């Protein structure tokens, strides 16, 4: 059966989540390697730690998105993946917000600290627009009882198919 409109919106939102997480992963992953290899150890411990954890959070989101996209899983498993994904997105946002508030003042462009705080506070909209709707969708899907359509699909799966042996019953 073709997917419903809500399932198509869920898949589209997951694509946009990947579009949001992939540049973060690539940029911070490159920054991690750069901090690890080309700078002196004592000058870049903080920068390395910041880039490393940011890239790990983004990689976790991308890994969950690929598992959700390329495997068929139960509704409960999908809900658990959504819990982990929204937790990673919130942890990433909180990490960057706390970094902009409490980080050492080493901005070479001499921008005031409140600009970074404002950018981090505005970025919470990404969580509300991209990550929260998919979480709510899977939550509501776990709470709704099985409909007649789901029961018909389950009954159709148990019927013998063309590829099953003729004498199997």
């Amino acid at each position: 059966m073709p997917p419903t409109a809500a399932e198509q919106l869920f898949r589209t939102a997951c694509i946009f989540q990947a579009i949001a997480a992939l540049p973060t992963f690539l940029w911070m992953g490159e920054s991690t390697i750069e901090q690890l290899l080309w700078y002196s150890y004592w000058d870049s411990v903080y920068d390395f730690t910041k880039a490393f954890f940011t890239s790990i959070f983004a990689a976790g989101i991308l890994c969950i998105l690929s598992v959700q996209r390329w495997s068929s899983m139960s509704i409960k498993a999908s809900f658990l993946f959504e819990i982990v994904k929204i937790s990673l997105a919130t942890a990433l946002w909180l990490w960057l917000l706390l970094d902009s508030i409490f980080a050492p003042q080493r901005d070479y462009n001499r921008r005031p600290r409140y600009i970074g705080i404002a950018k981090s506070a505005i970025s919470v909209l990404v969580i509300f627009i991209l990550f929260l709707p998919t979480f709510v969708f899977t939550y509501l899907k776990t709470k709704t009882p099985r409909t007649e359509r789901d029961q018909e699909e389950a009954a159709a799966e148990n019927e013998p198919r063309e590829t099953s042996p003729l004498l199997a019953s």
Side-chain angles (χ1 to χ4, degrees), residues 27-38:
W27 181 36
M28 287 292 128
E30 185 272 331
S31 180
T32 301
I33 294 170
E34 181 180 308
Q35 295 295 328
L36 183 64
L37 297 178
W38 289 296

Side-chain angles (χ1 to χ4, degrees), residues 124-138:
V124 75
L125 294 175
V126 172
I127 293 175
F128 286 129
I129 292 172
L130 287 180
F131 289 94
L132 196 60
T134 58
F135 174 74
V136 170
F137 173 73
T138 54

Side-chain angles (χ1 to χ4, degrees), residues 2-56:
T4 63
E7 291 168 350
Q8 287 292 350
L9 284 173
F10 176 78
R11 293 178 89 183
T12 305
C14 288
I15 290 170
F16 282 113
Q17 290 172 359
I19 289 171
L22 184 64
T24 304
F25 170 66
L26 293 176
W27 181 36
M28 287 292 128
E30 185 272 331
S31 180
T32 301
I33 294 170
E34 181 180 308
Q35 295 295 328
L36 183 64
L37 297 178
W38 289 296
Y39 290 113
S40 68
Y41 178 74
W42 296 109
D43 292 338
S44 63
V45 171
Y46 175 76
D47 294 330
F48 171 77
T49 306
K50 179 178 72 170
F52 177 73
F53 280 109
T54 304
S55 64
I56 291 295

